[in-house]
Coordinates of all heavy atoms in Angstrom, one line a residue:
L273 N 93.6 88.7 113.5 CA 92.5 87.8 113.6 C 91.3 88.2 112.8 O 91.0 89.3 112.5 CB 92.2 87.9 115.1 CG 93.3 87.5 116.1 CD1 92.8 87.8 117.6 CD2 93.6 86.0 115.9
G274 N 90.5 87.1 112.7 CA 89.2 87.2 112.1 C 88.1 87.1 113.1 O 87.0 86.7 112.9
S275 N 88.4 87.5 114.3 CA 87.5 87.5 115.4 C 88.1 88.6 116.3 O 89.2 89.2 116.1 CB 87.6 86.2 116.1 OG 89.0 85.9 116.8
G276 N 87.3 88.9 117.5 CA 87.9 89.8 118.5 C 88.9 89.3 119.4 O 89.1 88.0 119.4
L277 N 89.6 90.1 120.1 CA 90.7 89.7 120.9 C 90.3 88.8 122.1 O 91.0 88.1 122.6 CB 91.5 90.9 121.4 CG 92.2 91.6 120.3 CD1 92.9 92.9 120.9 CD2 93.3 90.8 119.6
D278 N 89.0 88.9 122.4 CA 88.4 88.0 123.5 C 88.0 86.6 123.0 O 87.7 85.8 123.7 CB 87.2 88.7 124.2 CG 87.6 90.0 124.9 OD1 88.8 90.1 125.3 OD2 86.7 90.7 125.2
H279 N 88.2 86.5 121.6 CA 87.8 85.2 121.0 C 88.8 84.7 120.2 O 88.8 84.6 119.0 CB 86.4 85.4 120.3 CG 85.2 85.5 120.9 ND1 84.5 84.4 121.5 CD2 84.6 86.6 121.3 CE1 83.4 84.9 122.2 NE2 83.5 86.1 122.1
L280 N 90.0 84.4 120.7 CA 91.2 84.0 119.9 C 90.8 82.8 119.2 O 90.4 81.7 119.7 CB 92.5 83.8 120.8 CG 92.9 85.0 121.6 CD1 94.0 84.5 122.5 CD2 93.3 86.1 120.7
Y281 N 91.0 82.8 117.8 CA 90.6 81.8 117.0 C 91.6 81.5 115.8 O 92.1 82.4 115.3 CB 89.3 82.0 116.3 CG 88.7 80.9 115.4 CD1 88.0 79.9 116.0 CD2 89.0 80.9 114.0 CE1 87.5 78.8 115.3 CE2 88.6 79.8 113.2 CZ 87.8 78.8 113.9 OH 87.5 77.8 113.0
P282 N 92.0 80.3 115.7 CA 91.5 79.0 116.4 C 92.2 78.9 117.7 O 93.3 79.2 118.0 CB 92.0 77.8 115.6 CG 93.1 78.4 114.7 CD 92.9 79.9 114.6
A283 N 91.4 78.3 118.8 CA 91.8 78.3 120.1 C 93.1 77.5 120.2 O 93.9 77.8 121.2 CB 90.7 77.7 120.9
R284 N 93.3 76.5 119.3 CA 94.4 75.6 119.5 C 95.7 76.4 119.1 O 96.8 76.0 119.4 CB 94.3 74.3 118.7 CG 94.3 74.5 117.2 CD 94.3 73.2 116.6 NE 93.9 73.2 115.2 CZ 93.9 72.1 114.6 NH1 94.3 70.8 115.1 NH2 93.6 72.1 113.3
N285 N 95.6 77.7 118.6 CA 96.7 78.4 118.4 C 97.0 79.5 119.4 O 97.9 80.4 119.3 CB 96.7 79.1 117.0 CG 97.1 78.1 115.9 OD1 97.4 77.1 116.1 ND2 96.9 78.7 114.7
R286 N 96.4 79.3 120.6 CA 96.6 80.3 121.7 C 98.0 80.5 122.0 O 98.4 81.6 122.2 CB 95.7 79.9 122.9 CG 95.9 80.8 124.1 CD 95.0 80.4 125.2 NE 93.6 80.7 124.9 CZ 93.0 81.8 125.0 NH1 93.6 82.8 125.4 NH2 91.6 81.9 124.8
A287 N 98.8 79.3 122.3 CA 100.2 79.5 122.6 C 100.9 80.4 121.5 O 101.8 81.2 121.8 CB 100.8 78.2 122.9
L288 N 100.7 80.1 120.3 CA 101.3 80.9 119.2 C 100.9 82.3 119.3 O 101.8 83.3 119.1 CB 100.8 80.4 117.9 CG 101.3 81.0 116.6 CD1 102.8 81.1 116.4 CD2 100.7 80.6 115.4
F289 N 99.7 82.6 119.5 CA 99.2 84.0 119.7 C 99.9 84.7 120.8 O 100.3 85.9 120.8 CB 97.8 84.1 119.9 CG 96.9 83.5 118.7 CD1 95.7 83.0 119.0 CD2 97.4 83.6 117.4 CE1 94.9 82.4 117.9 CE2 96.6 83.1 116.5 CZ 95.4 82.5 116.7
E290 N 100.1 84.0 121.9 CA 100.8 84.6 123.1 C 102.2 84.8 122.7 O 102.7 86.0 123.1 CB 100.7 83.7 124.2 CG 99.3 83.6 124.9 CD 99.1 82.5 125.9 OE1 100.0 81.8 126.2 OE2 97.9 82.4 126.5
R291 N 102.9 84.0 122.1 CA 104.3 84.3 121.7 C 104.4 85.4 120.7 O 105.2 86.3 120.7 CB 104.8 83.0 121.0 CG 105.3 81.9 121.9 CD 105.9 80.7 121.3 NE 107.0 81.1 120.4 CZ 107.2 80.4 119.3 NH1 106.5 79.7 118.8 NH2 108.3 80.9 118.5
A292 N 103.4 85.5 119.7 CA 103.4 86.6 118.7 C 103.1 87.9 119.5 O 103.7 88.9 119.1 CB 102.3 86.3 117.8
A293 N 102.2 87.9 120.5 CA 102.0 89.2 121.2 C 103.3 89.7 122.0 O 103.5 90.9 122.2 CB 101.0 89.0 122.3
E294 N 104.2 88.7 122.3 CA 105.4 89.1 123.0 C 106.4 89.5 122.0 O 107.3 90.4 122.4 CB 106.0 87.9 123.8 CG 105.1 87.5 125.0 CD 105.7 86.1 125.6 OE1 106.6 85.6 125.1 OE2 105.0 85.7 126.5
R295 N 106.5 89.0 120.9 CA 107.5 89.4 119.8 C 107.1 90.1 118.7 O 107.6 89.9 117.6 CB 108.2 88.0 119.5 CG 108.9 87.4 120.6 CD 110.2 87.0 120.5 NE 111.1 87.4 119.4 CZ 111.9 86.6 118.6 NH1 112.0 85.3 118.9 NH2 112.6 87.1 117.7
G296 N 105.9 90.6 118.8 CA 105.3 91.3 117.6 C 104.0 91.9 118.0 O 104.0 92.7 119.0
A297 N 102.8 91.4 117.4 CA 101.6 91.8 117.8 C 100.5 90.9 117.3 O 100.6 90.2 116.4 CB 101.2 93.3 117.2
V298 N 99.4 90.9 118.1 CA 98.1 90.3 117.7 C 97.1 91.4 117.7 O 96.9 92.0 118.6 CB 97.7 89.2 118.7 CG1 96.4 88.5 118.3 CG2 98.9 88.1 118.8
A299 N 96.4 91.5 116.5 CA 95.4 92.5 116.3 C 94.2 92.0 115.6 O 94.1 90.9 115.1 CB 96.0 93.6 115.3
S300 N 93.2 92.9 115.6 CA 91.8 92.6 115.2 C 91.2 93.8 114.8 O 91.3 94.9 115.4 CB 91.0 91.9 116.2 OG 89.7 91.7 115.6
P301 N 90.6 93.8 113.6 CA 89.7 95.0 113.1 C 88.3 95.0 113.8 O 87.5 95.9 113.5 CB 89.7 94.8 111.7 CG 89.8 93.4 111.4 CD 90.7 92.8 112.5
F302 N 88.1 94.0 114.7 CA 86.8 93.8 115.2 C 86.8 94.1 116.6 O 87.7 94.2 117.3 CB 86.2 92.4 115.0 CG 86.4 92.0 113.4 CD1 87.3 91.2 113.1 CD2 85.5 92.5 112.5 CE1 87.4 90.7 111.8 CE2 85.6 92.2 111.2 CZ 86.6 91.2 110.9
D303 N 85.5 94.4 117.2 CA 85.3 94.6 118.5 C 85.9 93.3 119.3 O 85.8 92.3 118.8 CB 83.9 94.8 118.9 CG 83.2 96.1 118.4 OD1 84.0 97.0 118.3 OD2 82.0 96.2 118.3
D304 N 86.4 93.6 120.5 CA 86.9 92.5 121.4 C 86.1 91.2 121.4 O 86.5 90.2 121.5 CB 87.4 93.0 122.8 CG 88.6 93.9 122.7 OD1 89.3 94.0 121.6 OD2 88.9 94.5 123.7
D305 N 84.8 91.5 121.6 CA 83.9 90.4 121.9 C 83.4 89.6 120.6 O 82.4 88.9 120.5 CB 82.7 90.8 122.7 CG 81.8 91.8 122.1 OD1 82.2 92.4 121.1 OD2 80.7 92.1 122.7
A306 N 83.8 90.1 119.3 CA 83.3 89.5 118.1 C 83.7 88.1 118.0 O 84.9 87.7 118.0 CB 83.9 90.4 116.9
A307 N 82.8 87.2 117.8 CA 83.0 85.9 117.6 C 83.5 85.6 116.0 O 83.2 86.4 115.2 CB 81.8 85.0 117.8
P308 N 84.2 84.5 115.7 CA 84.6 84.3 114.4 C 83.4 83.8 113.5 O 82.6 83.1 114.0 CB 85.7 83.0 114.5 CG 85.3 82.5 115.9 CD 84.7 83.6 116.8
Q309 N 83.3 84.6 112.3 CA 82.4 84.2 111.4 C 82.9 84.4 110.1 O 83.9 85.2 109.8 CB 81.1 85.2 111.5 CG 80.5 85.1 112.9 CD 79.1 85.7 112.9 OE1 78.7 86.3 112.0 NE2 78.4 85.6 114.1
P310 N 82.5 83.6 109.1 CA 83.1 83.5 107.7 C 83.4 85.0 107.1 O 84.4 85.2 106.6 CB 82.1 82.7 106.9 CG 81.5 81.8 107.9 CD 81.3 82.6 109.2
W311 N 82.4 85.9 107.2 CA 82.5 87.2 106.6 C 83.7 88.0 107.2 O 84.3 88.8 106.6 CB 81.2 87.9 106.6 CG 80.8 88.3 108.0 CD1 79.9 87.6 108.8 CD2 81.2 89.6 108.6 NE1 79.7 88.4 109.9 CE2 80.4 89.5 109.9 CE3 82.0 90.7 108.3 CZ2 80.6 90.6 110.9 CZ3 82.1 91.7 109.3 CH2 81.3 91.7 110.5
R312 N 83.9 87.7 108.5 CA 85.0 88.4 109.2 C 86.3 88.0 108.6 O 87.3 88.9 108.6 CB 84.9 88.1 110.7 CG 83.8 89.0 111.2 CD 84.0 89.0 112.9 NE 82.9 89.9 113.4 CZ 81.8 89.4 114.0 NH1 81.6 88.3 114.3 NH2 80.9 90.4 114.4
F313 N 86.5 86.8 108.1 CA 87.8 86.4 107.7 C 88.1 87.0 106.3 O 89.2 87.4 106.0 CB 87.9 84.8 107.5 CG 87.8 84.3 108.9 CD1 86.6 83.7 109.4 CD2 88.9 84.1 109.6 CE1 86.5 83.1 110.6 CE2 88.9 83.7 111.0 CZ 87.7 83.1 111.4
L314 N 87.1 87.3 105.5 CA 87.2 88.0 104.3 C 87.7 89.5 104.6 O 88.7 90.0 104.0 CB 86.0 88.0 103.4 CG 85.7 86.6 102.9 CD1 84.3 86.6 102.2 CD2 86.8 85.9 102.0
R315 N 87.1 90.1 105.5 CA 87.5 91.5 105.9 C 88.9 91.5 106.5 O 89.8 92.3 106.3 CB 86.5 92.1 106.9 CG 86.8 93.6 107.2 CD 85.8 94.2 108.0 NE 84.5 94.4 107.2 CZ 83.4 94.7 107.8 NH1 83.4 94.9 109.0 NH2 82.4 94.7 107.0
R316 N 89.2 90.4 107.3 CA 90.5 90.4 107.9 C 91.6 90.2 106.8 O 92.7 90.8 106.9 CB 90.6 89.1 108.8 CG 91.8 88.8 109.5 CD 92.6 87.5 109.2 NE 92.2 86.5 108.3 CZ 92.2 85.4 108.5 NH1 92.5 84.8 109.6 NH2 91.9 84.6 107.4
N317 N 91.3 89.5 105.7 CA 92.2 89.3 104.7 C 92.7 90.6 104.0 O 93.8 90.9 103.8 CB 91.7 88.4 103.7 CG 91.5 86.9 104.1 OD1 92.0 86.6 105.2 ND2 90.9 86.1 103.4
R318 N 91.6 91.5 103.9 CA 91.8 92.9 103.3 C 92.6 93.7 104.3 O 93.6 94.4 103.8 CB 90.5 93.6 103.0 CG 89.8 93.0 101.8 CD 88.5 93.8 101.5 NE 88.9 95.0 100.9 CZ 89.3 95.3 99.6 NH1 89.4 94.2 98.8 NH2 89.5 96.5 99.2
V319 N 92.5 93.6 105.4 CA 93.2 94.3 106.5 C 94.7 93.7 106.5 O 95.7 94.7 106.5 CB 92.7 94.2 107.9 CG1 93.7 94.8 109.0 CG2 91.3 94.7 108.1
M320 N 94.9 92.5 106.4 CA 96.4 91.9 106.2 C 97.0 92.5 105.1 O 98.2 92.9 105.2 CB 96.2 90.4 106.1 CG 95.9 89.7 107.3 SD 96.1 87.9 107.4 CE 95.5 87.5 105.8
V321 N 96.3 92.6 104.0 CA 97.0 93.2 102.6 C 97.3 94.6 102.9 O 98.4 95.1 102.6 CB 96.0 92.9 101.6 CG1 96.5 93.7 100.3 CG2 95.8 91.5 101.2
A322 N 96.4 95.4 103.5 CA 96.6 96.8 103.7 C 97.8 97.0 104.6 O 98.6 98.1 104.5 CB 95.4 97.4 104.5
L323 N 98.1 96.1 105.5 CA 99.3 96.2 106.4 C 100.5 95.7 105.8 O 101.6 95.7 106.4 CB 98.9 95.5 107.7 CG 97.9 96.0 108.5 CD1 97.5 95.0 109.6 CD2 98.2 97.4 109.2
S324 N 100.5 95.2 104.5 CA 101.6 94.4 104.0 C 102.1 95.2 102.7 O 101.5 95.9 102.0 CB 101.1 93.0 103.5 OG 100.7 92.3 104.7
T325 N 103.4 94.9 102.4 CA 104.1 95.3 101.2 C 103.8 94.5 100.1 O 103.6 95.0 99.0 CB 105.6 95.2 101.4 OG1 106.0 95.9 102.7 CG2 106.4 95.7 100.3
A326 N 103.6 93.1 100.2 CA 103.1 92.3 99.2 C 102.6 91.1 99.9 O 102.6 91.0 101.1 CB 104.4 91.8 98.4
V327 N 101.9 90.3 99.0 CA 101.2 89.1 99.6 C 101.9 87.9 98.9 O 102.1 87.8 97.6 CB 99.8 89.0 99.2 CG1 99.1 87.7 99.5 CG2 99.0 90.1 100.0
L328 N 102.3 86.9 99.7 CA 103.1 85.7 99.4 C 102.2 84.5 99.6 O 101.8 84.3 100.8 CB 104.4 85.4 100.0 CG 105.1 84.3 99.9 CD1 105.4 83.9 98.4 CD2 106.5 84.3 100.6
V329 N 101.7 83.9 98.6 CA 100.8 82.7 98.8 C 101.7 81.4 98.6 O 102.3 81.2 97.6 CB 99.7 82.6 97.7 CG1 98.7 81.5 98.0 CG2 98.8 84.0 97.7
V330 N 101.7 80.6 99.7 CA 102.6 79.5 99.7 C 101.9 78.2 99.1 O 102.5 77.5 98.3 CB 103.2 79.2 101.1 CG1 103.9 78.0 101.1 CG2 104.0 80.4 101.6
E331 N 100.8 77.9 99.4 CA 100.1 76.7 98.9 C 98.6 77.0 99.1 O 98.2 77.5 100.0 CB 100.5 75.5 99.8 CG 100.1 74.3 99.3 CD 100.5 73.1 100.2 OE1 100.0 72.7 101.2 OE2 101.8 72.6 99.9

Side-chain angles (χ1 to χ4, degrees):
L273 297 172
S275 61
L277 294 173
D278 291 342
H279 288 276
L280 297 178
Y281 182 84
R284 69 175 161 177
N285 279 355
R286 179 176 291 278
L288 175 63
F289 299 150
E290 289 171 359
R291 286 183 52 225
E294 292 171 2
R295 300 227 13 221
V298 177
S300 172
F302 307 108
D303 291 336
D304 287 347
D305 63 350
Q309 297 199 359
W311 66 269
R312 287 196 170 105
F313 294 100
L314 294 175
R315 185 170 298 163
R316 180 237 14 220
N317 293 350
R318 291 185 69 79
V319 170
M320 288 188 320
V321 170
L323 294 169
S324 300
T325 303
V327 169
L328 171 56
V329 184
V330 175
E331 193 173 88

